[in-house]
Amino acid sequence: MSFFFLSLNKSLSFALFQRYNRFSQTLDNIGKNEGGIDKFSRGYESFGVHRCADGGLYCKEWAPGAEGVFLTGDFNDWNPFSYPYKKLDYGKWDLYIPPKPNKSLLVPHGSKLKVVIRSKSGEILYRISPWAKYVVRESGNVNYDWIHWDPEQPYKFKHSRPKKPRSLRIYESHVGISSHEGKIASYKHFTCNVLPRIKGLGYNCIQMMAIMEHAYYASFGYQITSFFAASSRYGTPEELKELVDTAHSMGITVLLDVVHSHASKNSEDGLNMFDGTDSCYFHSGPRGTHDLWDSRLFIYSSWEVLRFLLSNIRWWLEEYGFDGFRFDGVTSMLYHHHGIGASFSGDYHEYFGLQVDEDALTYLMLANHLVHTLYPDSITIAEDVSGMPALCSPISQGGGGFDYRLAMAIPDKWIQVRLYVIKEDCTHGAKMLTATLKCIAYAESHDQALVGDKSLAFWLMDAEMYTNMSVLTPFTPVIDRGIQLHKMIRLITHALGGEGYLNFMGNEFGHPEWLDFPRKGNNESYHYARRQFHLTDDDLLRYKFLNNFDRDMNKLEERCGWLSAPQAFVSEKHEGNKVIAFERAALLFIFNFHPSKSYTNYRVGTTLRTFKIVLDSDAAEYGGHQRLDHNTDFFSEPYEHNERPSSLLVSKVFNIFSLIDVPKTVA
């Protein structure tokens, strides 16, 4: 791999060259010392506990701070010292346990195990292997138990991975809340009931949250305890594999929400203090703790931590068939200040200098290199709010190698301007919906659905959602306005915001309640930890209108491909009229956000010639007022307007209760 010199200012070019050089040197060192990143990233094949061909067991751990390491469990009646590991170089320990005399397994599938650590102070610690593939918490237990997962007939994948989508439409999903019942839903429930909905809505990708095992359900999966274990609260590893395989059979790409930015502080069932020291996988002292998240921070310069994290990436790709990752907390990884109290104005010195954690950035480059080398169609997305330059540029150009960055400012901006959109100032929305990199745009994600915030539907309609969503009652102004704005905000974000689109499950139909996991503060209630999909199936409720619009918006994008087209040309963002018009993918979009004014014979600039309405938020199936004739053709004329060579007169552009979207039929 060679560095491609960018035509940038000298300081930026040199900084990117340094980053590439650091990555290249690390990759070369892995090649010289480990035989290459392919072998290096297969740590899960030797570390942990493995069945040998002769029926014996091979065990290996990295515990540099330990004085002794032992294996115990059901198989030896929990004798803590009868099976000691042998000390190897570089803090590694291994153990071979022969099979029983009759060649049967000494440690069968489903056995409970523990690693026993004798610390340098003489303390005896019972630990779960960092490489454990399955852990469970039985009723009433505080901590997880490590279960040896080695089924005789593991799940066999039946379907090949889908090709990388031309346009990425992501359905952000959480298995546990996917039922309308007040309980933790299962992988099987999601496979049978939710995947068909996702397919029917026109999404071609799911981003799965809270899969890596986490002890605290209410952490939303962001306090990981076992990095190689699929969460047992939803079912078995084989059932998760079936979910991924079924999604592939539908042509749906499956991304994992991977959390390598920090780890849970749990020690008895987590990575923390694994070998009796605070410096095994994490920085020692204050640098090893995230002040806001109350979690541990990886030391990315450590050779064995690199092996662990890169192997973890490969594990989820190879073992479970995931098609890529959304990397959580990238901003925290990139900077020593973790983004705490930092503001990012775009100044060069904010992104290059001593505040940048170059070790973490090198790890992210290695991870992206590995993912895209193993599976070129894989997708990686960075959750970065800072706007780190070149994060989504190729590694050969000194970039981070990500395919996309989450456009995190868009939902925040919608919340800020929601009252202006309703009342008087709409065009701020158009100003902030411009992307300079490949971005995943979204009007709201899980962050906006959580208790303490509100979903867009809740901001727009609030308490009236509980009383006025029946089609048997007349529209109230709040519900009418809220439904129309909900559609308009989502479509303008979809069409103008970036190169991909994301929606959090249930928000497509204006889920009427926030999201709150069971915790002490709500008496451990599951009432808000669910998604009420049944509301969209009730013909007497107006939720179906939003669901229908979301479906047809996605299917129109599939047909026309605006997400994969060059960025839109915004020909009009009129402050007074509150009208926004733009062209993208040979489609003309016209939005009127004015709270009270409609327009007749409104002139809009264009490069296109002949038009027909193909998506109209005022249509009956979307809860509109049916004020447009869909049989009307529109024709432009060679009359220059708003920097476009032609223009057309649109007969009616309704006020806030309607969106006219007049895409092309004939170019």
Side-chain angles (χ1 to χ4, degrees):
M1 184 181 289
S2 60
F3 184 77
F4 181 81
F5 189 83
L6 293 170
S7 298
L8 301 168
N9 66 67
K10 290 183 179 179
S11 296
L12 181 56
S13 294
F14 182 68
L16 293 178
F17 174 77
Q18 284 185 310
R19 287 180 178 177
Y20 172 78
N21 193 46
R22 189 185 184 99
F23 156 80
S24 185
Q25 287 178 352
T26 306
L27 192 63
D28 287 345
N29 287 338
I30 290 172
K32 292 173 184 176
N33 295 286
E34 299 283 349
I37 196 169
D38 179 76
K39 184 178 179 182
F40 188 59
S41 61
R42 295 177 182 269
Y44 53 81
E45 294 182 351
S46 58
F47 286 87
V49 175
H50 301 272
R51 188 203 315 174
C52 301
D54 64 358
L57 214 63
Y58 180 73
C59 313
K60 189 176 181 181
E61 298 295 343
W62 178 62
E67 281 294 311
V69 180
F70 309 86
L71 187 71
T72 188
D74 295 334
F75 73 99
N76 71 342
D77 295 324
W78 296 99
N79 183 323
F81 306 120
S82 61
Y83 286 95
Y85 285 65
K86 180 177 66 175
K87 190 172 185 178
L88 307 175
D89 293 335
Y90 308 111
K92 298 171 188 173
W93 305 75
D94 77 350
L95 165 68
Y96 172 73
I97 303 176
K100 291 181 179 180
N102 64 1
K103 301 299 182 182
S104 64
L105 297 176
L106 181 65
V107 181
H109 168 66
S111 300
K112 290 184 179 180
L113 298 172
K114 286 281 188 181
V115 173
V116 181
I117 302 289
R118 180 188 287 127
S119 73
K120 290 183 178 180
S121 66
E123 188 178 6
I124 302 301
L125 308 169
Y126 287 81
R127 296 289 188 252
I128 291 176
S129 170
W131 305 82
K133 301 181 180 74
Y134 190 56
V135 297
V136 300
R137 184 164 58 191
E138 296 178 347
S139 179
N141 288 358
V142 174
N143 297 318
Y144 275 85
D145 291 317
W146 171 20
I147 305 297
H148 180 53
W149 192 261
D150 186 24
E152 286 294 327
Q153 295 182 327
Y155 185 85
K156 300 293 185 183
F157 285 89
K158 305 176 184 65
H159 305 282
S160 59
R161 300 169 184 265
K163 294 291 184 182
K164 181 185 290 187
R166 178 188 65 166
S167 300
L168 198 61
R169 301 181 299 277
I170 303 172
Y171 198 80
E172 189 181 30
S173 305
H174 186 293
V175 170
I177 66 169
S178 63
S179 168
H180 71 273
E181 299 179 71
K183 65 177 186 179
I184 298 176
S186 67
Y187 294 125
K188 280 192 170 293
H189 170 85
F190 191 94
T191 301
C192 298
N193 297 284
V194 184
L195 280 179
R197 287 185 181 274
I198 295 170
K199 178 67 174 177
L201 282 167
Y203 291 93
N204 56 16
C205 178
I206 55 174
Q207 177 183 302
M208 302 201 68
M209 311 175 64
I211 295 298
M212 301 168 73
E213 191 60 271
H214 48 292
Y216 186 41
Y217 189 43
S219 77
F220 221 144
Y222 293 123
Q223 294 275 344
I224 306 301
T225 47
S226 292
F227 284 75
F228 286 83
S231 181
S232 60
R233 53 173 53 90
Y234 317 127
T236 68
E238 311 312 301
E239 290 166 345
L240 174 58
K241 293 174 187 178
E242 182 183 28
L243 188 162
V244 174
D245 198 24
T246 304
H248 286 169
S249 75
M250 298 176 174
I252 296 174
T253 295
V254 188
L255 305 181
L256 176 69
D257 203 350
V258 68
V259 186
H260 283 178
S261 49
H262 63 130
S264 169
K265 291 180 77 172
N266 287 17
S267 55
E268 293 206 18
D269 54 6
L271 284 184
N272 191 28
M273 304 288 290
F274 173 68
D275 66 352
T277 73
D278 74 338
S279 58
C280 186
Y281 286 90
F282 310 109
H283 288 288
S284 181
R287 189 180 175 188
T289 301
H290 196 291
D291 292 337
L292 292 184
W293 296 343
D294 193 32
S295 53
R296 297 304 312 274
L297 296 172
F298 288 105
I299 178 167
Y300 299 104
S301 60
S302 165
W303 194 259
E304 292 304 325
V305 170
L306 278 182
R307 186 199 307 276
F308 179 80
L309 294 177
L310 290 173
S311 297
N312 191 234
I313 288 289
R314 185 165 192 161
W315 168 258
W316 293 106
L317 291 171
E318 303 274 22
E319 183 71 15
Y320 286 93
F322 282 97
D323 304 301
F325 304 95
R326 179 262 201 187
F327 281 75
D328 177 70
V330 168
T331 303
S332 177
M333 298 174 71
L334 291 175
Y335 307 96
H336 293 299
H337 55 62
H338 309 300
I340 300 172
S343 59
F344 297 95
S345 64
D347 185 86
Y348 169 88
H349 299 287
E350 295 168 353
Y351 308 106
F352 301 93
L354 295 179
Q355 70 272 22
V356 176
D357 189 335
E358 298 290 350
D359 293 326
L361 184 54
T362 298
Y363 162 66
L364 290 171
M365 295 169 76
L366 288 167
N368 276 303
H369 171 72
L370 176 66
V371 169
H372 293 110
T373 299
L374 289 173
Y375 297 100
D377 277 344
S378 292
I379 296 166
T380 58
I381 302 170
E383 188 211 23
D384 171 43
V385 73
S386 75
M388 169 65 78
L391 193 62
C392 296
S393 296
I395 294 171
S396 61
Q397 297 177 4
F402 285 96
D403 295 297
Y404 299 90
R405 182 205 307 272
L406 286 177
M408 300 177 71
I410 293 177
D412 293 339
K413 196 66 177 179
W414 277 128
I415 296 302
Q416 288 176 27
V417 304
R418 68 190 183 278
L419 294 178
Y420 298 114
V421 169
I422 294 172
K423 294 178 180 176
E424 53 188 37
D425 187 355
C426 74
T427 54
H428 290 306
K431 290 176 183 176
M432 55 86 174
L433 285 171
T434 55
T436 56
L437 297 172
K438 289 185 73 175
C439 292
I440 303 296
Y442 55 103
E444 52 185 339
S445 69
H446 71 274
D447 286 325
Q448 286 72 41
L450 288 169
V451 68
D453 200 345
K454 292 182 181 180
S455 66
L456 271 177
F458 234 33
W459 279 118
L460 294 169
M461 294 177 279
D462 209 79
E464 287 204 26
M465 297 186 75
Y466 294 108
T467 56
N468 297 321
M469 288 296 279
S470 171
V471 299
L472 301 179
T473 60
F475 265 129
T476 66
V478 168
I479 295 296
D480 196 1
R481 181 173 59 223
I483 284 178
Q484 313 316 327
L485 275 172
H486 193 273
K487 293 177 287 186
M488 294 169 71
I489 288 171
R490 299 175 86 76
L491 179 58
I492 198 172
T493 302
H494 202 310
L496 190 57
E499 290 70 34
Y501 178 75
L502 178 142
N503 164 65
F504 178 64
M505 63 188 308
N507 285 6
E508 70 277 3
F509 65 85
H511 198 279
E513 293 172 342
W514 52 76
L515 178 62
D516 189 18
F517 286 88
R519 53 187 174 83
K520 288 184 179 179
N522 63 15
N523 295 318
E524 304 295 336
S525 172
Y526 284 88
H527 180 76
Y528 295 110
R530 60 195 181 116
R531 296 280 95 177
Q532 301 181 64
F533 290 110
H534 63 287
L535 297 176
T536 66
D537 301 328
D538 191 334
D539 277 340
L540 297 180
L541 296 177
R542 292 188 167 108
Y543 297 103
K544 65 180 180 180
F545 298 139
L546 300 179
N547 196 72
N548 292 343
F549 187 80
D550 197 76
R551 175 199 64 209
D552 291 349
M553 174 178 68
N554 282 324
K555 293 193 172 180
L556 180 62
E557 196 289 323
E558 173 68 21
R559 195 163 81 241
C560 301
W562 62 69
L563 288 172
S564 58
Q567 264 296 327
F569 182 90
V570 180
S571 59
E572 177 141 359
K573 44 185 179 181
H574 197 287
E575 293 284 352
N577 294 341
K578 314 304 177 195
V579 171
I580 301 170
F582 59 89
E583 291 176 330
R584 191 175 186 187
L587 300 170
L588 176 61
F589 297 83
I590 306 173
F591 295 79
N592 176 13
F593 281 97
H594 203 286
S596 58
K597 290 184 181 179
S598 300
Y599 305 99
T600 58
N601 295 324
Y602 197 92
R603 186 168 293 278
V604 179
T606 182
T607 58
L608 309 175
R609 296 185 60 189
T610 306
F611 304 82
K612 185 180 287 292
I613 296 172
V614 295
L615 187 63
D616 169 21
S617 72
D618 201 41
E621 62 264 37
Y622 310 137
H625 299 282
Q626 309 175 62
R627 293 174 289 190
L628 294 174
D629 182 1
H630 288 205
N631 295 317
T632 300
D633 289 339
F634 297 81
F635 301 93
S636 66
E637 53 187 328
Y639 184 91
E640 186 175 347
H641 183 71
N642 284 348
E643 301 181 45
R644 308 308 272 165
S646 302
S647 59
L648 76 154
L649 286 175
V650 182
S651 57
K652 298 176 183 178
V653 183
F654 289 110
N655 63 15
I656 205 166
F657 300 125
S658 173
L659 155 69
I660 295 185
D661 170 44
V662 198
K664 82 135 193 190
T665 327
V666 182

